[in-house]
Amino acid sequence: GENVEQHPSTLSVQEGDSAVIKCTYSDSASNYFPWYKQELGKRPQLIIDIRSNVGEKKDQRIAVTLNKTAKHFSLHITETQPEDSAVYFCAASYPAAGNKLTFGGGTRVLVKP
Amino acid sequence: DAGVTQSPTHLIKTRGQHVTLRCSPISGHKSVSWYQQVLGQGPQFIFQYYEKEERGRGNFPDRFSARQFPNYSSELNVNALLLGDSALYLCASSLDRFPGELFFGEGSRLTVL
């Protein structure tokens, strides 16, 4: 089955700096890669996703890049703000799995004012 | 519009007992998935239901079962509870059974003593 590895497990950045989280996946058939943000005690919420037919997607301060050959994808957050502090999860899904997501272990991001 | 609602929000059980968790999806969503999130880890897929049929099952023992009702709400049942079943159980709904955004509920936090 699919396996998703996520690094780093914790990330501390100064406000205004950039944050980068990296994930690798094992199943080359995977074609959908979302990123979820989970604040303490809250539900996971989708912040951005990318499908395998594109290499990069941006939404304001957030961007995701995908390298299908290397089977890895990354989340980039620019101009970080204290409200970006949360746990971020990457995930992967492949067509035969319906909308089942395999999640990475999470990255706890702390943005220091 | 109401989001995904889950009940109960918190519950405490003892080993060997049974638990039923409930989920109401967003109106119009026909797919419901269940995930287990152990503290400090990413959510793990348990079940997906679409149009009242099981469409996917994760690597969980037969003590875990679920069903989806004609109104698309869902129940997750866990028998013979073990200490290791202590976790946040997340329900997610989506429009269909294909890869796309999952909308999570706030979860049911189960503690097994």
Side-chain angles (χ1 to χ4, degrees):
Chain A
E2 176 67 280
N3 184 51
V4 177
E5 299 281 342
Q6 183 172 347
H7 299 279
S9 57
T10 59
L11 181 59
S12 181
V13 297
Q14 286 296 136
E15 182 177 356
D17 287 350
S18 295
V20 180
I21 304 170
K22 298 182 179 181
C23 290
T24 59
Y25 60 97
S26 61
D27 194 325
S28 57
S30 290
N31 65 350
Y32 176 65
F33 307 92
W35 287 86
Y36 282 81
K37 175 183 180 181
Q38 187 174 29
E39 297 178 13
L40 191 62
K42 301 287 188 180
R43 70 187 77 192
Q45 290 190 294
L46 180 74
I47 55 171
I48 196 167
D49 57 9
I50 191 169
R51 297 187 186 269
S52 59
N53 57 345
V54 297
E56 184 175 3
K57 184 176 179 181
K58 289 183 180 179
D59 183 3
Q60 299 182 343
R61 297 186 296 108
I62 293 173
V64 58
T65 59
L66 172 64
N67 183 326
K68 287 188 293 182
T69 303
K71 290 191 282 188
H72 67 70
F73 56 113
S74 300
L75 178 71
H76 304 252
I77 306 173
T78 59
E79 301 173 16
T80 53
Q81 301 168 4
E83 53 264 37
D84 295 329
S85 296
V87 179
Y88 292 81
F89 293 98
C90 63
S93 177
Y94 56 94
N99 57 20
K100 167 191 171 183
L101 293 179
T102 300
F103 284 86
T107 297
R108 183 173 299 278
V109 174
L110 175 63
V111 180
K112 296 181 286 185
Chain B
D1 243 353
V4 177
T5 57
Q6 292 187 243
S7 63
T9 55
H10 295 82
L11 66 166
I12 300 173
K13 294 285 188 178
T14 56
R15 282 176 293 175
Q17 285 190 313
H18 162 91
V19 67
T20 298
L21 308 177
R22 296 178 175 83
C23 172
S24 292
I26 291 172
S27 178
H29 285 193
K30 298 182 178 181
S31 177
V32 170
S33 302
W34 288 94
Y35 287 80
Q36 181 196 64
Q37 187 175 26
V38 173
L39 197 62
Q41 297 182 18
Q44 282 210 308
F45 173 77
I46 310 175
F47 286 108
Q48 182 203 355
Y49 277 78
Y50 177 73
E51 290 284 14
K52 302 178 287 294
E53 290 188 9
E54 182 183 303
R55 298 288 180 154
R57 172 186 283 258
N59 188 24
F60 280 81
D62 292 344
R63 299 184 295 107
F64 288 76
S65 64
R67 54 180 174 167
Q68 186 177 33
F69 299 100
N71 66 353
Y72 301 109
S73 66
S74 178
E75 281 183 356
L76 175 69
N77 294 282
V78 187
N79 292 322
L81 287 167
L82 303 174
L83 295 179
D85 295 332
S86 295
L88 180 67
Y89 288 85
L90 293 163
C91 173
S93 77
S94 59
L95 279 170
D96 54 39
R97 58 187 176 93
F98 300 108
E101 182 172 5
L102 296 184
F103 294 83
F104 284 91
E106 295 286 0
S108 294
R109 183 162 298 282
L110 170 66
T111 301
V112 182
L113 302 177

